[in-house]
mmCIF file of all heavy atoms in Angstrom:
data_model
loop_
_atom_site.group_PDB
_atom_site.id
_atom_site.type_symbol
_atom_site.label_atom_id
_atom_site.label_comp_id
_atom_site.label_asym_id
_atom_site.label_seq_id
_atom_site.Cartn_x
_atom_site.Cartn_y
_atom_site.Cartn_z
ATOM 1 N N VAL A 7 -102.148 -188.278 -137.432
ATOM 2 C CA VAL A 7 -100.990 -187.410 -137.133
ATOM 3 C C VAL A 7 -101.346 -186.422 -136.032
ATOM 4 O O VAL A 7 -100.525 -186.208 -135.093
ATOM 5 C CB VAL A 7 -100.572 -186.666 -138.398
ATOM 6 C CG1 VAL A 7 -99.503 -185.627 -138.062
ATOM 7 C CG2 VAL A 7 -99.979 -187.648 -139.407
ATOM 8 N N GLY A 8 -102.527 -185.864 -136.067
ATOM 9 C CA GLY A 8 -102.926 -184.885 -135.044
ATOM 10 C C GLY A 8 -102.961 -185.498 -133.673
ATOM 11 O O GLY A 8 -102.436 -184.890 -132.684
ATOM 12 N N VAL A 9 -103.512 -186.713 -133.548
ATOM 13 C CA VAL A 9 -103.598 -187.380 -132.270
ATOM 14 C C VAL A 9 -102.236 -187.790 -131.750
ATOM 15 O O VAL A 9 -101.920 -187.634 -130.554
ATOM 16 C CB VAL A 9 -104.522 -188.632 -132.376
ATOM 17 C CG1 VAL A 9 -104.440 -189.444 -131.091
ATOM 18 C CG2 VAL A 9 -105.948 -188.193 -132.622
ATOM 19 N N MET A 10 -101.392 -188.276 -132.658
ATOM 20 C CA MET A 10 -100.043 -188.724 -132.215
ATOM 21 C C MET A 10 -99.181 -187.543 -131.770
ATOM 22 O O MET A 10 -98.444 -187.672 -130.817
ATOM 23 C CB MET A 10 -99.357 -189.471 -133.373
ATOM 24 C CG MET A 10 -100.025 -190.789 -133.785
ATOM 25 S SD MET A 10 -100.150 -191.983 -132.436
ATOM 26 C CE MET A 10 -98.501 -192.661 -132.474
ATOM 27 N N ILE A 11 -99.320 -186.404 -132.408
ATOM 28 C CA ILE A 11 -98.550 -185.227 -132.005
ATOM 29 C C ILE A 11 -99.109 -184.738 -130.668
ATOM 30 O O ILE A 11 -98.334 -184.412 -129.754
ATOM 31 C CB ILE A 11 -98.660 -184.090 -133.071
ATOM 32 C CG1 ILE A 11 -97.884 -184.524 -134.334
ATOM 33 C CG2 ILE A 11 -98.129 -182.803 -132.513
ATOM 34 C CD1 ILE A 11 -98.011 -183.520 -135.456
ATOM 35 N N GLY A 12 -100.419 -184.690 -130.553
ATOM 36 C CA GLY A 12 -101.061 -184.156 -129.335
ATOM 37 C C GLY A 12 -100.774 -185.005 -128.121
ATOM 38 O O GLY A 12 -100.794 -184.502 -127.005
ATOM 39 N N THR A 13 -100.530 -186.291 -128.308
ATOM 40 C CA THR A 13 -100.248 -187.207 -127.151
ATOM 41 C C THR A 13 -98.760 -187.421 -126.960
ATOM 42 O O THR A 13 -98.373 -188.290 -126.176
ATOM 43 C CB THR A 13 -100.970 -188.545 -127.382
ATOM 44 O OG1 THR A 13 -100.595 -189.101 -128.650
ATOM 45 C CG2 THR A 13 -102.509 -188.362 -127.345
ATOM 46 N N GLY A 14 -97.931 -186.680 -127.702
ATOM 47 C CA GLY A 14 -96.512 -186.822 -127.518
ATOM 48 C C GLY A 14 -95.884 -188.020 -128.161
ATOM 49 O O GLY A 14 -94.736 -188.387 -127.797
ATOM 50 N N LYS A 15 -96.602 -188.694 -129.029
ATOM 51 C CA LYS A 15 -96.030 -189.878 -129.686
ATOM 52 C C LYS A 15 -95.620 -189.601 -131.099
ATOM 53 O O LYS A 15 -95.621 -190.513 -131.948
ATOM 54 C CB LYS A 15 -97.093 -191.010 -129.686
ATOM 55 C CG LYS A 15 -97.581 -191.411 -128.287
ATOM 56 C CD LYS A 15 -98.638 -192.481 -128.352
ATOM 57 C CE LYS A 15 -99.127 -192.886 -126.941
ATOM 58 N NZ LYS A 15 -100.195 -193.913 -126.990
ATOM 59 N N TYR A 16 -95.212 -188.396 -131.372
ATOM 60 C CA TYR A 16 -94.897 -187.935 -132.734
ATOM 61 C C TYR A 16 -93.721 -188.697 -133.331
ATOM 62 O O TYR A 16 -93.574 -188.804 -134.572
ATOM 63 C CB TYR A 16 -94.619 -186.442 -132.738
ATOM 64 C CG TYR A 16 -93.540 -186.016 -131.794
ATOM 65 C CD1 TYR A 16 -92.171 -185.979 -132.176
ATOM 66 C CD2 TYR A 16 -93.876 -185.618 -130.497
ATOM 67 C CE1 TYR A 16 -91.208 -185.590 -131.279
ATOM 68 C CE2 TYR A 16 -92.904 -185.209 -129.602
ATOM 69 C CZ TYR A 16 -91.564 -185.183 -130.009
ATOM 70 O OH TYR A 16 -90.578 -184.785 -129.134
ATOM 71 N N LYS A 17 -92.847 -189.293 -132.480
ATOM 72 C CA LYS A 17 -91.695 -190.007 -133.004
ATOM 73 C C LYS A 17 -92.106 -191.383 -133.640
ATOM 74 O O LYS A 17 -91.325 -191.965 -134.395
ATOM 75 C CB LYS A 17 -90.681 -190.269 -131.909
ATOM 76 C CG LYS A 17 -89.983 -188.964 -131.442
ATOM 77 C CD LYS A 17 -88.884 -189.316 -130.414
ATOM 78 C CE LYS A 17 -88.184 -188.056 -129.956
ATOM 79 N NZ LYS A 17 -87.104 -188.342 -128.946
ATOM 80 N N GLN A 18 -93.283 -191.820 -133.322
ATOM 81 C CA GLN A 18 -93.760 -193.100 -133.818
ATOM 82 C C GLN A 18 -94.398 -192.966 -135.222
ATOM 83 O O GLN A 18 -94.685 -193.953 -135.861
ATOM 84 C CB GLN A 18 -94.801 -193.698 -132.897
ATOM 85 C CG GLN A 18 -94.267 -194.028 -131.512
ATOM 86 C CD GLN A 18 -95.321 -194.562 -130.606
ATOM 87 O OE1 GLN A 18 -96.323 -195.160 -131.000
ATOM 88 N NE2 GLN A 18 -95.093 -194.449 -129.280
ATOM 89 N N VAL A 19 -94.554 -191.695 -135.667
ATOM 90 C CA VAL A 19 -95.176 -191.452 -136.954
ATOM 91 C C VAL A 19 -94.080 -191.447 -138.061
ATOM 92 O O VAL A 19 -93.060 -190.786 -137.911
ATOM 93 C CB VAL A 19 -95.903 -190.115 -136.989
ATOM 94 C CG1 VAL A 19 -96.598 -189.868 -138.322
ATOM 95 C CG2 VAL A 19 -96.944 -190.086 -135.848
ATOM 96 N N THR A 20 -94.338 -192.152 -139.116
ATOM 97 C CA THR A 20 -93.358 -192.207 -140.230
ATOM 98 C C THR A 20 -93.360 -190.954 -141.074
ATOM 99 O O THR A 20 -94.326 -190.171 -141.056
ATOM 100 C CB THR A 20 -93.625 -193.403 -141.162
ATOM 101 O OG1 THR A 20 -94.927 -193.222 -141.786
ATOM 102 C CG2 THR A 20 -93.637 -194.714 -140.405
ATOM 103 N N VAL A 21 -92.254 -190.732 -141.788
ATOM 104 C CA VAL A 21 -92.132 -189.571 -142.636
ATOM 105 C C VAL A 21 -93.213 -189.529 -143.685
ATOM 106 O O VAL A 21 -93.787 -188.497 -143.986
ATOM 107 C CB VAL A 21 -90.735 -189.528 -143.311
ATOM 108 C CG1 VAL A 21 -90.656 -188.361 -144.317
ATOM 109 C CG2 VAL A 21 -89.619 -189.423 -142.237
ATOM 110 N N ILE A 22 -93.493 -190.689 -144.297
ATOM 111 C CA ILE A 22 -94.537 -190.722 -145.344
ATOM 112 C C ILE A 22 -95.895 -190.330 -144.795
ATOM 113 O O ILE A 22 -96.626 -189.602 -145.452
ATOM 114 C CB ILE A 22 -94.585 -192.179 -145.905
ATOM 115 C CG1 ILE A 22 -93.328 -192.464 -146.738
ATOM 116 C CG2 ILE A 22 -95.844 -192.385 -146.808
ATOM 117 C CD1 ILE A 22 -93.250 -193.882 -147.305
ATOM 118 N N THR A 23 -96.217 -190.789 -143.582
ATOM 119 C CA THR A 23 -97.483 -190.431 -142.966
ATOM 120 C C THR A 23 -97.549 -188.944 -142.685
ATOM 121 O O THR A 23 -98.594 -188.285 -142.935
ATOM 122 C CB THR A 23 -97.711 -191.258 -141.664
ATOM 123 O OG1 THR A 23 -97.608 -192.634 -141.977
ATOM 124 C CG2 THR A 23 -99.074 -190.956 -141.076
ATOM 125 N N TYR A 24 -96.497 -188.372 -142.157
ATOM 126 C CA TYR A 24 -96.426 -186.924 -141.949
ATOM 127 C C TYR A 24 -96.650 -186.155 -143.268
ATOM 128 O O TYR A 24 -97.378 -185.168 -143.338
ATOM 129 C CB TYR A 24 -95.074 -186.477 -141.349
ATOM 130 C CG TYR A 24 -94.983 -186.535 -139.875
ATOM 131 C CD1 TYR A 24 -94.037 -187.262 -139.194
ATOM 132 C CD2 TYR A 24 -95.923 -185.776 -139.083
ATOM 133 C CE1 TYR A 24 -93.938 -187.275 -137.799
ATOM 134 C CE2 TYR A 24 -95.848 -185.827 -137.697
ATOM 135 C CZ TYR A 24 -94.863 -186.569 -137.047
ATOM 136 O OH TYR A 24 -94.800 -186.596 -135.718
ATOM 137 N N LEU A 25 -95.926 -186.615 -144.281
ATOM 138 C CA LEU A 25 -96.018 -185.952 -145.581
ATOM 139 C C LEU A 25 -97.413 -185.990 -146.170
ATOM 140 O O LEU A 25 -97.934 -184.922 -146.609
ATOM 141 C CB LEU A 25 -95.033 -186.640 -146.546
ATOM 142 C CG LEU A 25 -95.021 -186.064 -147.991
ATOM 143 C CD1 LEU A 25 -94.578 -184.603 -147.967
ATOM 144 C CD2 LEU A 25 -94.059 -186.897 -148.854
ATOM 145 N N MET A 26 -98.048 -187.128 -146.068
ATOM 146 C CA MET A 26 -99.421 -187.238 -146.628
ATOM 147 C C MET A 26 -100.400 -186.395 -145.843
ATOM 148 O O MET A 26 -101.252 -185.726 -146.431
ATOM 149 C CB MET A 26 -99.877 -188.686 -146.642
ATOM 150 C CG MET A 26 -99.096 -189.616 -147.610
ATOM 151 S SD MET A 26 -98.969 -188.900 -149.288
ATOM 152 C CE MET A 26 -100.675 -188.519 -149.683
ATOM 153 N N ALA A 27 -100.328 -186.361 -144.526
ATOM 154 C CA ALA A 27 -101.201 -185.553 -143.737
ATOM 155 C C ALA A 27 -101.000 -184.078 -144.072
ATOM 156 O O ALA A 27 -101.995 -183.309 -144.212
ATOM 157 C CB ALA A 27 -100.906 -185.770 -142.256
ATOM 158 N N ALA A 28 -99.764 -183.638 -144.241
ATOM 159 C CA ALA A 28 -99.457 -182.266 -144.595
ATOM 160 C C ALA A 28 -100.033 -181.874 -145.964
ATOM 161 O O ALA A 28 -100.626 -180.792 -146.108
ATOM 162 C CB ALA A 28 -97.967 -182.004 -144.546
ATOM 163 N N VAL A 29 -99.872 -182.753 -146.905
ATOM 164 C CA VAL A 29 -100.433 -182.501 -148.240
ATOM 165 C C VAL A 29 -101.938 -182.428 -148.205
ATOM 166 O O VAL A 29 -102.500 -181.550 -148.864
ATOM 167 C CB VAL A 29 -99.940 -183.606 -149.223
ATOM 168 C CG1 VAL A 29 -100.675 -183.474 -150.546
ATOM 169 C CG2 VAL A 29 -98.440 -183.559 -149.430
ATOM 170 N N PHE A 30 -102.600 -183.287 -147.469
ATOM 171 C CA PHE A 30 -104.069 -183.262 -147.395
ATOM 172 C C PHE A 30 -104.550 -181.962 -146.700
ATOM 173 O O PHE A 30 -105.558 -181.396 -147.108
ATOM 174 C CB PHE A 30 -104.566 -184.490 -146.649
ATOM 175 C CG PHE A 30 -104.617 -185.705 -147.508
ATOM 176 C CD1 PHE A 30 -103.980 -186.876 -147.097
ATOM 177 C CD2 PHE A 30 -105.230 -185.744 -148.726
ATOM 178 C CE1 PHE A 30 -103.971 -188.032 -147.865
ATOM 179 C CE2 PHE A 30 -105.230 -186.869 -149.546
ATOM 180 C CZ PHE A 30 -104.616 -188.005 -149.087
ATOM 181 N N ILE A 31 -103.804 -181.560 -145.628
ATOM 182 C CA ILE A 31 -104.199 -180.293 -144.998
ATOM 183 C C ILE A 31 -104.059 -179.146 -145.906
ATOM 184 O O ILE A 31 -104.934 -178.248 -146.005
ATOM 185 C CB ILE A 31 -103.290 -180.077 -143.714
ATOM 186 C CG1 ILE A 31 -103.664 -181.123 -142.638
ATOM 187 C CG2 ILE A 31 -103.481 -178.656 -143.159
ATOM 188 C CD1 ILE A 31 -102.709 -181.110 -141.451
ATOM 189 N N LEU A 32 -102.964 -179.114 -146.666
ATOM 190 C CA LEU A 32 -102.760 -178.058 -147.653
ATOM 191 C C LEU A 32 -103.863 -178.052 -148.716
ATOM 192 O O LEU A 32 -104.313 -176.993 -149.158
ATOM 193 C CB LEU A 32 -101.373 -178.242 -148.285
ATOM 194 C CG LEU A 32 -100.943 -177.134 -149.252
ATOM 195 C CD1 LEU A 32 -100.800 -175.809 -148.544
ATOM 196 C CD2 LEU A 32 -99.588 -177.495 -149.924
ATOM 197 N N ARG A 33 -104.250 -179.265 -149.087
ATOM 198 C CA ARG A 33 -105.314 -179.350 -150.124
ATOM 199 C C ARG A 33 -106.609 -178.708 -149.611
ATOM 200 O O ARG A 33 -107.303 -177.995 -150.352
ATOM 201 C CB ARG A 33 -105.589 -180.849 -150.465
ATOM 202 C CG ARG A 33 -106.477 -181.000 -151.697
ATOM 203 C CD ARG A 33 -107.086 -182.387 -151.738
ATOM 204 N NE ARG A 33 -108.184 -182.550 -150.782
ATOM 205 C CZ ARG A 33 -109.004 -183.599 -150.773
ATOM 206 N NH1 ARG A 33 -108.815 -184.603 -151.541
ATOM 207 N NH2 ARG A 33 -109.989 -183.683 -149.910
ATOM 208 N N TYR A 34 -106.916 -178.951 -148.352
ATOM 209 C CA TYR A 34 -108.180 -178.376 -147.794
ATOM 210 C C TYR A 34 -108.046 -176.845 -147.645
ATOM 211 O O TYR A 34 -108.995 -176.116 -147.897
ATOM 212 C CB TYR A 34 -108.453 -178.971 -146.407
ATOM 213 C CG TYR A 34 -109.034 -180.393 -146.481
ATOM 214 C CD1 TYR A 34 -108.451 -181.462 -145.804
ATOM 215 C CD2 TYR A 34 -110.165 -180.663 -147.299
ATOM 216 C CE1 TYR A 34 -108.975 -182.728 -145.871
ATOM 217 C CE2 TYR A 34 -110.678 -181.960 -147.377
ATOM 218 C CZ TYR A 34 -110.070 -182.969 -146.665
ATOM 219 O OH TYR A 34 -110.577 -184.243 -146.745
ATOM 220 N N ILE A 35 -106.872 -176.413 -147.221
ATOM 221 C CA ILE A 35 -106.656 -174.925 -147.060
ATOM 222 C C ILE A 35 -106.784 -174.231 -148.393
ATOM 223 O O ILE A 35 -107.424 -173.160 -148.504
ATOM 224 C CB ILE A 35 -105.254 -174.670 -146.412
ATOM 225 C CG1 ILE A 35 -105.197 -175.194 -144.984
ATOM 226 C CG2 ILE A 35 -104.946 -173.144 -146.465
ATOM 227 C CD1 ILE A 35 -103.844 -175.057 -144.344
ATOM 228 N N LEU A 36 -106.211 -174.801 -149.431
ATOM 229 C CA LEU A 36 -106.199 -174.169 -150.733
ATOM 230 C C LEU A 36 -107.429 -174.574 -151.596
ATOM 231 O O LEU A 36 -107.615 -174.076 -152.697
ATOM 232 C CB LEU A 36 -104.933 -174.530 -151.492
ATOM 233 C CG LEU A 36 -103.601 -174.094 -150.868
ATOM 234 C CD1 LEU A 36 -102.426 -174.534 -151.703
ATOM 235 C CD2 LEU A 36 -103.606 -172.574 -150.671
ATOM 236 N N ASP A 37 -108.230 -175.485 -151.010
ATOM 237 C CA ASP A 37 -109.452 -175.965 -151.690
ATOM 238 C C ASP A 37 -109.093 -176.572 -153.043
ATOM 239 O O ASP A 37 -109.753 -176.237 -154.073
ATOM 240 C CB ASP A 37 -110.484 -174.883 -151.849
ATOM 241 C CG ASP A 37 -111.869 -175.416 -152.193
ATOM 242 O OD1 ASP A 37 -112.119 -176.569 -151.870
ATOM 243 O OD2 ASP A 37 -112.656 -174.657 -152.796
ATOM 244 N N LEU A 38 -108.072 -177.381 -153.084
ATOM 245 C CA LEU A 38 -107.618 -178.028 -154.352
ATOM 246 C C LEU A 38 -108.400 -179.295 -154.635
ATOM 247 O O LEU A 38 -107.901 -180.400 -154.444
ATOM 248 C CB LEU A 38 -106.111 -178.309 -154.257
ATOM 249 C CG LEU A 38 -105.189 -177.110 -154.076
ATOM 250 C CD1 LEU A 38 -103.745 -177.587 -153.923
ATOM 251 C CD2 LEU A 38 -105.325 -176.168 -155.269
#
């Protein structure tokens, strides 16, 4: 997700992939 956003290809990323990446980032931030 980070690479696709950074290279301007964010429209090619599916909603499920965005959601999972966000959840994993949140898990690391909250140390869950």
